[in-house]
């Protein structure tokens, strides 16, 4: 099958390569001319035979919207757009409606697999009509891992990215659990082989997983993670998951806590903890650390006024 691929970064480039290895003809476009097959989106469309299929792999938000707008100007009725980026499911419904006015189909597809997808295949979660999904099913079959699993037509437009959003929320929680367990083991005076402990869990335990395998791999490279800074970015899907939970009144304590933990990682000097330290000093006389690094006396030191108010 012939398909246009827009966005040839780490994910899009590998996906294009996997499709070519699977016998498909891929025409790729990227803003980087060194890796692009064509010089513009218009040229990409001209290279494809009708009915055309175009897969979009650009950042969510404004870049995706701009791409959809331009594709709408150049594609023809009967053509199809697949958004395989990390778009918000609400945006999918908007994009589908915009393209439908021109007779152009739309499928949203959440993609998981990272840099390992070229070798192992990509887990695909798509949303759209049965007709539109069938139109690009040969592409899905090649991108997915071998076997029965790895692909789902999750529902209507937006369902694919909604499922991927929840997937990433679960991923947040799992990574946070591994992270907290690692920190506790590292803090222990009893456990001498933290890396070995994690490695031992890879066989026979209920927490064995690919994430665990990847953590052990990271510890093989840097046993105590001394070369890393404790800073973790979020892609936005964790936030969308928590917001969707609020919208549907579904409690997500683990995923929400994992998202907030990432926020905390970005604070070298937490403003909230300054308030906590100040209050502990005021009501309990606990010592505080100044910005100069020195430890100052607590509020209950001689001469300090800690008389509680008369109620």
């Amino acid at each position: 099958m012939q398909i246009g691929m827009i966005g040839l970064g780490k994910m899009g480039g590998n996906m294009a390569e996997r499709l070519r290895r699977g016998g498909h003809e891929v025409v790729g476009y990227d803003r980087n001319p060194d890796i692009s097959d064509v010089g513009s989106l218009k040229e990409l469309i001209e290279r494809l035979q009708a009915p055309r299929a175009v897969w979009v792999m650009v950042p969510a938000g404004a870049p995706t919207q701009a791409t959809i707008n331009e594709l709408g100007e150049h594609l023809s009725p009967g053509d199809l757009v697949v958004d395989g980026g990390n778009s918000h499911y609400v945006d999918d419904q908007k994009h589908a409606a915009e393209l439908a006015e021109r007779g152009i189909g739309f499928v949203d597809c959440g993609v998981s697999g990272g840099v390992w997808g070229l070798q192992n295949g990509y887990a695909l979660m798509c949303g759209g009509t049965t007709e539109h999904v069938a139109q690009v099913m040969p592409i899905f079959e090649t991108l997915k891992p071998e076997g029965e699993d790895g692909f789902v037509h999750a529902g209507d437009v937006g369902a694919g990215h909604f499922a991927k959003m929840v997937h990433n929320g679960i991923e947040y929680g799992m990574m946070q659990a591994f992270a907290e367990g690692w920190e506790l083991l590292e803090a222990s005076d009893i456990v001498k082989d933290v890396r070995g402990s994690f490695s031992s869990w890879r066989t026979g335990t209920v927490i064995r997983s690919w994430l665990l395998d990847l953590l052990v791999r990271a510890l093989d490279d840097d046993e105590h993670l001394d070369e890393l800074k404790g800073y973790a970015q979020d892609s936005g899907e964790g936030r969308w998951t928590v917001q969707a939970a609020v919208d549907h009144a579904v409690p997500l304590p683990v995923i929400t806590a994992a998202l907030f933990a990432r926020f905390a990682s970005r604070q070298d000097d937490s403003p909230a903890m300054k308030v906590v330290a100040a209050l502990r000093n005021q009501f309990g006389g606990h010592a505080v650390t100044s910005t100069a690094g020195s430890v100052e006396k607590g509020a209950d030191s001689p001469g300090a006024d800690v008389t509680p108010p008369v109620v």
Side-chain angles (χ1 to χ4, degrees):
M1 179 176 174
Q2 187 187 52
I3 190 167
M5 181 69 71
I6 302 173
L8 302 174
K10 292 180 180 178
M11 287 284 283
N14 281 346
M15 290 169 67
E17 178 60 25
R18 184 173 175 88
L19 289 173
R20 290 188 176 109
R21 293 179 184 180
H24 300 282
E25 179 187 351
V26 180
V27 181
Y29 169 73
D30 194 274
R31 291 187 301 174
N32 180 357
D34 294 334
I35 58 176
S36 186
D37 298 323
V38 293
S40 66
L41 284 182
K42 185 175 184 296
E43 185 181 349
L44 179 139
I45 300 305
E46 293 172 347
R47 287 272 298 271
L48 300 176
Q49 300 174 357
R52 305 170 186 85
V54 179
W55 190 298
V56 179
M57 285 297 292
V58 302
T64 294
Q65 183 65 65
T67 303
I68 295 293
N69 292 344
E70 189 170 353
L71 287 174
E73 296 176 0
H74 298 301
L75 292 174
S76 303
D79 292 344
L80 178 69
V81 174
V82 179
D83 181 4
N86 286 329
S87 293
H88 197 194
Y89 70 95
V90 175
D91 292 338
D92 292 327
Q93 296 163 349
K94 175 175 176 286
H95 296 157
E98 292 170 347
L99 293 174
E101 294 178 356
R102 300 172 179 265
I104 302 168
F106 180 87
V107 172
D108 64 287
C109 185
V111 181
S112 182
V115 297
W116 299 88
L118 174 60
Q119 174 184 342
N120 301 330
Y122 300 88
L124 306 172
M125 297 142 270
C126 70
T129 67
T130 300
E131 175 188 359
H132 290 154
V133 171
Q135 193 171 334
V136 284
M137 199 64 208
I139 298 299
F140 292 144
E141 289 286 358
T142 301
L143 288 175
K144 68 180 283 297
E146 295 182 3
E148 297 181 3
D149 297 324
F151 171 84
V152 62
H153 180 188
D156 298 331
V157 168
H161 280 143
F162 194 100
K164 176 60 163 47
M165 175 187 74
V166 174
H167 164 279
N168 280 26
I170 293 171
E171 180 184 293
Y172 274 48
M174 292 175 66
M175 287 194 289
Q176 185 65 23
F178 280 130
E180 292 175 6
W182 174 81
E183 183 175 359
L184 182 56
L185 286 174
E186 283 281 320
S188 169
D189 294 331
I190 301 174
V191 178
K192 306 301 182 184
D193 187 357
V194 175
R195 181 256 169 223
S197 297
F198 273 93
S199 184
S200 73
W201 299 341
R202 297 169 68 185
T203 305
T205 75
V206 296
I207 65 168
R208 62 186 185 272
S209 64
W210 189 40
L211 277 178
L212 179 58
D213 292 340
L214 292 176
L215 176 54
V216 172
R217 186 171 181 266
L219 296 177
D220 285 341
D221 295 336
D222 183 6
E223 184 175 358
H224 301 289
L225 303 182
D226 294 325
E227 298 178 7
L228 296 179
K229 183 179 180 181
Y231 179 103
Q233 190 58 266
D234 70 286
S235 64
E237 288 179 298
R239 304 185 190 203
W240 295 340
T241 306
V242 172
Q243 183 59 58
V246 173
D247 295 341
H248 292 80
V250 175
L252 297 185
V254 171
I255 294 173
T256 302
L259 174 64
F260 286 177
R262 295 199 183 190
F263 295 163
S265 79
R266 301 167 202 170
Q267 298 178 323
D268 293 331
D269 187 17
S270 169
M273 287 302 103
K274 291 182 180 181
V275 175
V276 172
L279 288 174
R280 292 181 74 247
N281 175 258
Q282 291 299 317
F283 69 67
H286 302 286
V288 295
T289 302
S290 71
T291 54
S294 60
V295 177
E296 300 179 355
K297 294 181 179 180
D300 60 350
S301 58
D305 181 9
V306 292
T307 305
V310 177
V311 180

